[in-house]
Amino acid sequence: MENSQCTVVDAQAAFTTAREKALIEAAQSGDKQAYHQIYDAYVGRVHALSYRLTGDHALAEDATQEVFIQLWRKLGNYNHKSKFSTWLHSVTANITVSYMRKQRGWFQRMFNIEGSAAEQFHAEASTGEVDLESYIVRLPERARMVFVLHAVEGYRHEEIASMLNMAVGSSKAQFHRAKQLLKEWMGYDND
């Protein structure tokens, strides 16, 4: 994995704005080679965001594939008014959230932090085997999605509410819930 991350970093470093624009325009015209270069440059970022949103490596892999399938279809919608990475970030978040909705039944069973899952989490935490990413992954689905989109990715609650089809107040409540759970799990609930 480390070698592939270096390759992604190298690909992104060589991806200048002019080169990026030329590749995007070529890909918009159907050039699969140009699209492959875009894929190489951005797959790491897309996967990282998908993982933070889903909390599951297999789901993130599937969501990443879905993003790039949809990207091929939606690339014509990109109009160069914003940075491509910003546009792709928004596309990734929307597609990943949509993909997760389709997986809801499995996802709710997998990441319910009640009962034995909570006991397993506390056992891991007591041995020091859990890092922040592990805490975030264990958040309930809606709280995790809002937390990642707001705290990590910088979206406003109004944007999150629109993306997740919820009220702005619900987004704020889910963010507060995520913060409270993280504080509790990390031992900072002494306020």
Side-chain angles (χ1 to χ4, degrees), residues 52-55 107 110-113 121 132-148 174-183 185:
R52 286 193 300 268
L53 288 169
T54 64
F107 201 83
M110 188 67 174
F111 290 101
N112 183 354
I113 62 165
F121 173 78
L132 181 58
E133 193 78 20
S134 296
Y135 288 115
I136 292 172
V137 166
R138 286 186 164 88
L139 286 169
E141 177 183 8
R142 303 281 281 180
R144 181 181 56 256
M145 290 171 29
V146 170
F147 182 82
V148 168
Q174 290 295 331
F175 181 71
H176 177 74
R177 178 181 184 202
K179 283 193 332 185
Q180 290 305 112
L181 285 170
L182 290 171
K183 283 173 63 175
W185 292 339

mmCIF file of all heavy atoms in Angstrom, residues 52-55 107 110-113 121 132-148 174-183 185:
data_model
loop_
_atom_site.group_PDB
_atom_site.id
_atom_site.type_symbol
_atom_site.label_atom_id
_atom_site.label_comp_id
_atom_site.label_asym_id
_atom_site.label_seq_id
_atom_site.Cartn_x
_atom_site.Cartn_y
_atom_site.Cartn_z
ATOM 1 N N ARG A 52 -13.512 7.636 4.962
ATOM 2 C CA ARG A 52 -13.930 8.427 6.127
ATOM 3 C C ARG A 52 -15.443 8.481 6.228
ATOM 4 O O ARG A 52 -15.996 8.507 7.325
ATOM 5 C CB ARG A 52 -13.326 9.830 6.068
ATOM 6 C CG ARG A 52 -11.854 9.848 6.403
ATOM 7 C CD ARG A 52 -11.320 11.239 6.651
ATOM 8 N NE ARG A 52 -11.470 12.132 5.517
ATOM 9 C CZ ARG A 52 -10.565 12.317 4.569
ATOM 10 N NH1 ARG A 52 -9.427 11.657 4.601
ATOM 11 N NH2 ARG A 52 -10.783 13.168 3.593
ATOM 12 N N LEU A 53 -16.125 8.500 5.093
ATOM 13 C CA LEU A 53 -17.580 8.539 5.126
ATOM 14 C C LEU A 53 -18.199 7.191 5.448
ATOM 15 O O LEU A 53 -19.169 7.112 6.192
ATOM 16 C CB LEU A 53 -18.122 9.049 3.778
ATOM 17 C CG LEU A 53 -17.921 10.529 3.518
ATOM 18 C CD1 LEU A 53 -18.253 10.860 2.071
ATOM 19 C CD2 LEU A 53 -18.757 11.376 4.464
ATOM 20 N N THR A 54 -17.655 6.121 4.890
ATOM 21 C CA THR A 54 -18.266 4.801 5.094
ATOM 22 C C THR A 54 -17.780 4.115 6.355
ATOM 23 O O THR A 54 -18.512 3.349 6.960
ATOM 24 C CB THR A 54 -17.969 3.856 3.910
ATOM 25 O OG1 THR A 54 -16.562 3.629 3.837
ATOM 26 C CG2 THR A 54 -18.498 4.412 2.603
ATOM 27 N N GLY A 55 -16.519 4.343 6.709
ATOM 28 C CA GLY A 55 -15.959 3.678 7.873
ATOM 29 C C GLY A 55 -15.627 2.217 7.630
ATOM 30 O O GLY A 55 -15.371 1.478 8.566
ATOM 31 N N PHE A 107 -25.133 -1.842 6.587
ATOM 32 C CA PHE A 107 -24.326 -0.857 7.298
ATOM 33 C C PHE A 107 -24.822 -0.652 8.727
ATOM 34 O O PHE A 107 -24.034 -0.558 9.663
ATOM 35 C CB PHE A 107 -24.373 0.470 6.527
ATOM 36 C CG PHE A 107 -23.232 1.360 6.847
ATOM 37 C CD1 PHE A 107 -22.017 1.191 6.219
ATOM 38 C CD2 PHE A 107 -23.362 2.356 7.782
ATOM 39 C CE1 PHE A 107 -20.960 2.006 6.514
ATOM 40 C CE2 PHE A 107 -22.308 3.183 8.091
ATOM 41 C CZ PHE A 107 -21.099 3.010 7.453
ATOM 42 N N MET A 110 -23.685 -3.530 10.831
ATOM 43 C CA MET A 110 -22.234 -3.586 10.986
ATOM 44 C C MET A 110 -21.703 -2.569 11.986
ATOM 45 O O MET A 110 -20.785 -2.849 12.736
ATOM 46 C CB MET A 110 -21.579 -3.377 9.614
ATOM 47 C CG MET A 110 -20.112 -3.588 9.597
ATOM 48 S SD MET A 110 -19.771 -5.316 9.896
ATOM 49 C CE MET A 110 -18.035 -5.336 9.664
ATOM 50 N N PHE A 111 -22.275 -1.371 12.004
ATOM 51 C CA PHE A 111 -21.697 -0.304 12.813
ATOM 52 C C PHE A 111 -22.554 0.141 13.985
ATOM 53 O O PHE A 111 -22.380 1.222 14.510
ATOM 54 C CB PHE A 111 -21.335 0.891 11.943
ATOM 55 C CG PHE A 111 -20.168 0.582 11.061
ATOM 56 C CD1 PHE A 111 -20.357 0.267 9.737
ATOM 57 C CD2 PHE A 111 -18.889 0.559 11.562
ATOM 58 C CE1 PHE A 111 -19.284 -0.049 8.921
ATOM 59 C CE2 PHE A 111 -17.812 0.239 10.768
ATOM 60 C CZ PHE A 111 -18.012 -0.063 9.447
ATOM 61 N N ASN A 112 -23.453 -0.688 14.403
ATOM 62 C CA ASN A 112 -24.215 -0.385 15.595
ATOM 63 C C ASN A 112 -23.274 -0.508 16.786
ATOM 64 O O ASN A 112 -22.684 -1.560 17.010
ATOM 65 C CB ASN A 112 -25.380 -1.373 15.712
ATOM 66 C CG ASN A 112 -26.263 -1.089 16.892
ATOM 67 O OD1 ASN A 112 -25.974 -0.219 17.706
ATOM 68 N ND2 ASN A 112 -27.345 -1.832 16.991
ATOM 69 N N ILE A 113 -23.107 0.537 17.548
ATOM 70 C CA ILE A 113 -22.148 0.501 18.649
ATOM 71 C C ILE A 113 -22.763 0.007 19.946
ATOM 72 O O ILE A 113 -22.163 0.106 20.991
ATOM 73 C CB ILE A 113 -21.470 1.860 18.868
ATOM 74 C CG1 ILE A 113 -22.499 2.916 19.237
ATOM 75 C CG2 ILE A 113 -20.662 2.262 17.669
ATOM 76 C CD1 ILE A 113 -21.904 4.166 19.797
ATOM 77 N N PHE A 121 -15.187 -2.547 21.416
ATOM 78 C CA PHE A 121 -14.538 -1.239 21.293
ATOM 79 C C PHE A 121 -13.841 -0.856 22.597
ATOM 80 O O PHE A 121 -12.691 -0.433 22.602
ATOM 81 C CB PHE A 121 -15.562 -0.166 20.924
ATOM 82 C CG PHE A 121 -14.978 1.200 20.964
ATOM 83 C CD1 PHE A 121 -14.189 1.646 19.924
ATOM 84 C CD2 PHE A 121 -15.183 2.023 22.048
ATOM 85 C CE1 PHE A 121 -13.626 2.904 19.965
ATOM 86 C CE2 PHE A 121 -14.622 3.281 22.096
ATOM 87 C CZ PHE A 121 -13.850 3.727 21.047
ATOM 88 N N LEU A 132 -7.747 7.738 16.517
ATOM 89 C CA LEU A 132 -8.886 8.597 16.212
ATOM 90 C C LEU A 132 -9.698 8.059 15.037
ATOM 91 O O LEU A 132 -10.926 8.071 15.074
ATOM 92 C CB LEU A 132 -8.425 10.029 15.926
ATOM 93 C CG LEU A 132 -9.544 11.020 15.616
ATOM 94 C CD1 LEU A 132 -10.548 11.090 16.765
ATOM 95 C CD2 LEU A 132 -8.967 12.394 15.339
ATOM 96 N N GLU A 133 -9.023 7.590 14.005
ATOM 97 C CA GLU A 133 -9.735 7.040 12.842
ATOM 98 C C GLU A 133 -10.641 5.888 13.276
ATOM 99 O O GLU A 133 -11.762 5.762 12.806
ATOM 100 C CB GLU A 133 -8.733 6.566 11.791
ATOM 101 C CG GLU A 133 -9.337 6.274 10.449
ATOM 102 C CD GLU A 133 -9.639 7.529 9.636
ATOM 103 O OE1 GLU A 133 -9.083 8.599 9.906
ATOM 104 O OE2 GLU A 133 -10.459 7.414 8.715
ATOM 105 N N SER A 134 -10.168 5.074 14.204
ATOM 106 C CA SER A 134 -10.981 3.959 14.701
ATOM 107 C C SER A 134 -12.195 4.455 15.471
ATOM 108 O O SER A 134 -13.263 3.849 15.401
ATOM 109 C CB SER A 134 -10.145 3.053 15.600
ATOM 110 O OG SER A 134 -9.109 2.470 14.868
ATOM 111 N N TYR A 135 -12.036 5.542 16.197
ATOM 112 C CA TYR A 135 -13.178 6.121 16.904
ATOM 113 C C TYR A 135 -14.210 6.632 15.899
ATOM 114 O O TYR A 135 -15.406 6.400 16.047
ATOM 115 C CB TYR A 135 -12.744 7.282 17.803
ATOM 116 C CG TYR A 135 -11.978 6.892 19.030
ATOM 117 C CD1 TYR A 135 -10.653 7.281 19.193
ATOM 118 C CD2 TYR A 135 -12.572 6.160 20.054
ATOM 119 C CE1 TYR A 135 -9.937 6.947 20.330
ATOM 120 C CE2 TYR A 135 -11.864 5.819 21.190
ATOM 121 C CZ TYR A 135 -10.550 6.212 21.330
ATOM 122 O OH TYR A 135 -9.854 5.881 22.452
ATOM 123 N N ILE A 136 -13.743 7.338 14.897
ATOM 124 C CA ILE A 136 -14.651 7.907 13.904
ATOM 125 C C ILE A 136 -15.412 6.804 13.182
ATOM 126 O O ILE A 136 -16.621 6.903 12.966
ATOM 127 C CB ILE A 136 -13.878 8.804 12.913
ATOM 128 C CG1 ILE A 136 -13.372 10.053 13.639
ATOM 129 C CG2 ILE A 136 -14.751 9.196 11.724
ATOM 130 C CD1 ILE A 136 -12.426 10.914 12.819
ATOM 131 N N VAL A 137 -14.734 5.726 12.836
ATOM 132 C CA VAL A 137 -15.361 4.604 12.143
ATOM 133 C C VAL A 137 -16.495 4.015 12.973
ATOM 134 O O VAL A 137 -17.495 3.561 12.427
ATOM 135 C CB VAL A 137 -14.303 3.526 11.813
ATOM 136 C CG1 VAL A 137 -14.938 2.221 11.407
ATOM 137 C CG2 VAL A 137 -13.379 4.023 10.725
ATOM 138 N N ARG A 138 -16.391 4.055 14.270
ATOM 139 C CA ARG A 138 -17.396 3.434 15.138
ATOM 140 C C ARG A 138 -18.585 4.340 15.438
ATOM 141 O O ARG A 138 -19.534 3.913 16.086
ATOM 142 C CB ARG A 138 -16.731 2.980 16.426
ATOM 143 C CG ARG A 138 -15.887 1.737 16.188
ATOM 144 C CD ARG A 138 -15.340 1.210 17.495
ATOM 145 N NE ARG A 138 -14.872 -0.142 17.361
ATOM 146 C CZ ARG A 138 -13.653 -0.483 16.980
ATOM 147 N NH1 ARG A 138 -12.779 0.439 16.688
ATOM 148 N NH2 ARG A 138 -13.303 -1.746 16.897
ATOM 149 N N LEU A 139 -18.529 5.579 14.988
ATOM 150 C CA LEU A 139 -19.679 6.453 15.185
ATOM 151 C C LEU A 139 -20.883 5.896 14.425
ATOM 152 O O LEU A 139 -20.721 5.274 13.375
ATOM 153 C CB LEU A 139 -19.367 7.859 14.652
ATOM 154 C CG LEU A 139 -18.423 8.712 15.491
ATOM 155 C CD1 LEU A 139 -18.008 9.955 14.696
ATOM 156 C CD2 LEU A 139 -19.052 9.097 16.813
ATOM 157 N N PRO A 140 -22.081 6.129 14.937
ATOM 158 C CA PRO A 140 -23.275 5.738 14.175
ATOM 159 C C PRO A 140 -23.250 6.420 12.799
ATOM 160 O O PRO A 140 -22.708 7.521 12.649
ATOM 161 C CB PRO A 140 -24.429 6.261 15.030
ATOM 162 C CG PRO A 140 -23.859 6.360 16.407
ATOM 163 C CD PRO A 140 -22.420 6.724 16.232
ATOM 164 N N GLU A 141 -23.839 5.782 11.830
ATOM 165 C CA GLU A 141 -23.716 6.212 10.433
ATOM 166 C C GLU A 141 -23.974 7.702 10.220
ATOM 167 O O GLU A 141 -23.134 8.404 9.662
ATOM 168 C CB GLU A 141 -24.683 5.407 9.569
ATOM 169 C CG GLU A 141 -24.664 5.834 8.117
ATOM 170 C CD GLU A 141 -25.683 5.084 7.279
ATOM 171 O OE1 GLU A 141 -26.502 4.339 7.825
ATOM 172 O OE2 GLU A 141 -25.640 5.267 6.057
ATOM 173 N N ARG A 142 -25.125 8.203 10.596
ATOM 174 C CA ARG A 142 -25.467 9.607 10.323
ATOM 175 C C ARG A 142 -24.507 10.549 11.059
ATOM 176 O O ARG A 142 -24.062 11.541 10.491
ATOM 177 C CB ARG A 142 -26.904 9.917 10.729
ATOM 178 C CG ARG A 142 -27.943 9.038 10.079
ATOM 179 C CD ARG A 142 -28.274 9.400 8.690
ATOM 180 N NE ARG A 142 -29.179 10.521 8.626
ATOM 181 C CZ ARG A 142 -29.603 11.016 7.484
ATOM 182 N NH1 ARG A 142 -29.232 10.484 6.350
ATOM 183 N NH2 ARG A 142 -30.406 12.042 7.456
ATOM 184 N N ALA A 143 -24.203 10.236 12.312
ATOM 185 C CA ALA A 143 -23.290 11.085 13.085
ATOM 186 C C ALA A 143 -21.906 11.091 12.439
ATOM 187 O O ALA A 143 -21.258 12.140 12.341
ATOM 188 C CB ALA A 143 -23.210 10.603 14.529
ATOM 189 N N ARG A 144 -21.450 9.927 11.982
ATOM 190 C CA ARG A 144 -20.133 9.840 11.348
ATOM 191 C C ARG A 144 -20.101 10.642 10.057
ATOM 192 O O ARG A 144 -19.162 11.381 9.781
ATOM 193 C CB ARG A 144 -19.750 8.387 11.067
ATOM 194 C CG ARG A 144 -18.362 8.279 10.423
ATOM 195 C CD ARG A 144 -17.923 6.868 10.079
ATOM 196 N NE ARG A 144 -18.860 6.194 9.234
ATOM 197 C CZ ARG A 144 -19.717 5.260 9.639
ATOM 198 N NH1 ARG A 144 -19.725 4.864 10.890
ATOM 199 N NH2 ARG A 144 -20.551 4.705 8.806
ATOM 200 N N MET A 145 -21.136 10.481 9.236
ATOM 201 C CA MET A 145 -21.160 11.194 7.967
ATOM 202 C C MET A 145 -21.137 12.704 8.192
ATOM 203 O O MET A 145 -20.364 13.423 7.550
ATOM 204 C CB MET A 145 -22.379 10.766 7.157
ATOM 205 C CG MET A 145 -22.243 9.338 6.654
ATOM 206 S SD MET A 145 -23.701 8.561 5.882
ATOM 207 C CE MET A 145 -24.609 9.863 5.164
ATOM 208 N N VAL A 146 -21.965 13.182 9.108
ATOM 209 C CA VAL A 146 -21.997 14.619 9.396
ATOM 210 C C VAL A 146 -20.667 15.072 9.980
ATOM 211 O O VAL A 146 -20.121 16.108 9.581
ATOM 212 C CB VAL A 146 -23.167 14.969 10.346
ATOM 213 C CG1 VAL A 146 -23.059 16.407 10.842
ATOM 214 C CG2 VAL A 146 -24.505 14.745 9.648
ATOM 215 N N PHE A 147 -20.112 14.292 10.912
ATOM 216 C CA PHE A 147 -18.840 14.671 11.525
ATOM 217 C C PHE A 147 -17.734 14.784 10.474
ATOM 218 O O PHE A 147 -17.004 15.772 10.432
ATOM 219 C CB PHE A 147 -18.437 13.662 12.608
ATOM 220 C CG PHE A 147 -17.163 14.030 13.301
ATOM 221 C CD1 PHE A 147 -17.159 14.955 14.322
ATOM 222 C CD2 PHE A 147 -15.952 13.466 12.914
ATOM 223 C CE1 PHE A 147 -15.981 15.322 14.963
ATOM 224 C CE2 PHE A 147 -14.770 13.815 13.533
ATOM 225 C CZ PHE A 147 -14.778 14.742 14.562
ATOM 226 N N VAL A 148 -17.628 13.787 9.615
ATOM 227 C CA VAL A 148 -16.583 13.808 8.585
ATOM 228 C C VAL A 148 -16.801 14.974 7.631
ATOM 229 O O VAL A 148 -15.866 15.718 7.324
ATOM 230 C CB VAL A 148 -16.530 12.467 7.821
ATOM 231 C CG1 VAL A 148 -15.656 12.580 6.578
ATOM 232 C CG2 VAL A 148 -16.007 11.361 8.728
ATOM 233 N N GLN A 174 -26.572 15.854 14.895
ATOM 234 C CA GLN A 174 -25.723 14.689 14.634
ATOM 235 C C GLN A 174 -24.254 15.018 14.865
ATOM 236 O O GLN A 174 -23.491 14.197 15.378
ATOM 237 C CB GLN A 174 -25.939 14.168 13.211
ATOM 238 C CG GLN A 174 -27.284 13.513 12.985
ATOM 239 C CD GLN A 174 -27.456 12.243 13.801
ATOM 240 O OE1 GLN A 174 -26.510 11.532 14.118
ATOM 241 N NE2 GLN A 174 -28.694 11.943 14.161
ATOM 242 N N PHE A 175 -23.852 16.226 14.503
ATOM 243 C CA PHE A 175 -22.473 16.658 14.742
ATOM 244 C C PHE A 175 -22.203 16.712 16.243
ATOM 245 O O PHE A 175 -21.176 16.224 16.719
ATOM 246 C CB PHE A 175 -22.207 18.017 14.090
ATOM 247 C CG PHE A 175 -20.807 18.496 14.281
ATOM 248 C CD1 PHE A 175 -19.755 17.873 13.622
ATOM 249 C CD2 PHE A 175 -20.521 19.561 15.117
ATOM 250 C CE1 PHE A 175 -18.444 18.296 13.798
ATOM 251 C CE2 PHE A 175 -19.225 19.994 15.298
ATOM 252 C CZ PHE A 175 -18.178 19.363 14.635
ATOM 253 N N HIS A 176 -23.144 17.275 16.991
ATOM 254 C CA HIS A 176 -23.001 17.346 18.457
ATOM 255 C C HIS A 176 -22.942 15.930 19.039
ATOM 256 O O HIS A 176 -22.109 15.654 19.913
ATOM 257 C CB HIS A 176 -24.170 18.124 19.058
ATOM 258 C CG HIS A 176 -24.140 18.181 20.542
ATOM 259 N ND1 HIS A 176 -23.257 18.964 21.239
ATOM 260 C CD2 HIS A 176 -24.867 17.516 21.473
ATOM 261 C CE1 HIS A 176 -23.440 18.799 22.538
ATOM 262 N NE2 HIS A 176 -24.418 17.922 22.700
ATOM 263 N N ARG A 177 -23.793 15.044 18.547
ATOM 264 C CA ARG A 177 -23.797 13.651 19.014
ATOM 265 C C ARG A 177 -22.433 13.005 18.764
ATOM 266 O O ARG A 177 -21.883 12.329 19.633
ATOM 267 C CB ARG A 177 -24.888 12.875 18.291
ATOM 268 C CG ARG A 177 -24.946 11.412 18.670
ATOM 269 C CD ARG A 177 -26.030 10.690 17.911
ATOM 270 N NE ARG A 177 -26.139 9.316 18.363
ATOM 271 C CZ ARG A 177 -26.671 8.359 17.640
ATOM 272 N NH1 ARG A 177 -27.165 8.612 16.444
ATOM 273 N NH2 ARG A 177 -26.732 7.132 18.112
ATOM 274 N N ALA A 178 -21.889 13.200 17.565
ATOM 275 C CA ALA A 178 -20.579 12.626 17.229
ATOM 276 C C ALA A 178 -19.502 13.167 18.156
ATOM 277 O O ALA A 178 -18.682 12.406 18.675
ATOM 278 C CB ALA A 178 -20.230 12.927 15.766
ATOM 279 N N LYS A 179 -19.502 14.475 18.382
ATOM 280 C CA LYS A 179 -18.494 15.075 19.273
ATOM 281 C C LYS A 179 -18.609 14.516 20.683
ATOM 282 O O LYS A 179 -17.595 14.202 21.310
ATOM 283 C CB LYS A 179 -18.651 16.602 19.316
ATOM 284 C CG LYS A 179 -18.107 17.290 18.100
ATOM 285 C CD LYS A 179 -17.963 18.795 18.234
ATOM 286 C CE LYS A 179 -18.896 19.473 19.174
ATOM 287 N NZ LYS A 179 -18.796 20.916 19.185
ATOM 288 N N GLN A 180 -19.836 14.376 21.165
ATOM 289 C CA GLN A 180 -20.035 13.853 22.522
ATOM 290 C C GLN A 180 -19.551 12.405 22.631
ATOM 291 O O GLN A 180 -18.893 12.042 23.604
ATOM 292 C CB GLN A 180 -21.509 13.966 22.931
ATOM 293 C CG GLN A 180 -21.978 15.381 23.168
ATOM 294 C CD GLN A 180 -21.109 16.109 24.179
ATOM 295 O OE1 GLN A 180 -20.402 17.043 23.823
ATOM 296 N NE2 GLN A 180 -21.139 15.696 25.422
ATOM 297 N N LEU A 181 -19.883 11.592 21.649
ATOM 298 C CA LEU A 181 -19.427 10.199 21.673
ATOM 299 C C LEU A 181 -17.903 10.120 21.609
ATOM 300 O O LEU A 181 -17.283 9.350 22.352
ATOM 301 C CB LEU A 181 -20.046 9.413 20.514
ATOM 302 C CG LEU A 181 -21.515 9.036 20.668
ATOM 303 C CD1 LEU A 181 -22.074 8.486 19.360
ATOM 304 C CD2 LEU A 181 -21.701 8.038 21.806
ATOM 305 N N LEU A 182 -17.294 10.897 20.739
ATOM 306 C CA LEU A 182 -15.835 10.890 20.631
ATOM 307 C C LEU A 182 -15.195 11.335 21.944
ATOM 308 O O LEU A 182 -14.221 10.732 22.403
ATOM 309 C CB LEU A 182 -15.376 11.776 19.469
ATOM 310 C CG LEU A 182 -15.698 11.247 18.073
ATOM 311 C CD1 LEU A 182 -15.406 12.308 17.012
ATOM 312 C CD2 LEU A 182 -14.951 9.962 17.777
ATOM 313 N N LYS A 183 -15.738 12.381 22.545
ATOM 314 C CA LYS A 183 -15.198 12.849 23.832
ATOM 315 C C LYS A 183 -15.309 11.756 24.894
ATOM 316 O O LYS A 183 -14.370 11.512 25.642
ATOM 317 C CB LYS A 183 -15.944 14.107 24.299
ATOM 318 C CG LYS A 183 -15.518 15.372 23.579
ATOM 319 C CD LYS A 183 -16.387 16.558 23.938
ATOM 320 C CE LYS A 183 -16.274 16.903 25.402
ATOM 321 N NZ LYS A 183 -17.020 18.122 25.751
ATOM 322 N N TRP A 185 -15.587 8.429 24.443
ATOM 323 C CA TRP A 185 -14.724 7.301 24.127
ATOM 324 C C TRP A 185 -13.251 7.613 24.367
ATOM 325 O O TRP A 185 -12.468 6.736 24.691
ATOM 326 C CB TRP A 185 -14.904 6.874 22.677
ATOM 327 C CG TRP A 185 -16.268 6.278 22.396
ATOM 328 C CD1 TRP A 185 -17.130 5.736 23.284
ATOM 329 C CD2 TRP A 185 -16.885 6.194 21.121
ATOM 330 N NE1 TRP A 185 -18.266 5.312 22.643
ATOM 331 C CE2 TRP A 185 -18.138 5.571 21.317
ATOM 332 C CE3 TRP A 185 -16.501 6.574 19.846
ATOM 333 C CZ2 TRP A 185 -19.017 5.322 20.259
ATOM 334 C CZ3 TRP A 185 -17.381 6.313 18.794
ATOM 335 C CH2 TRP A 185 -18.610 5.698 19.020
#
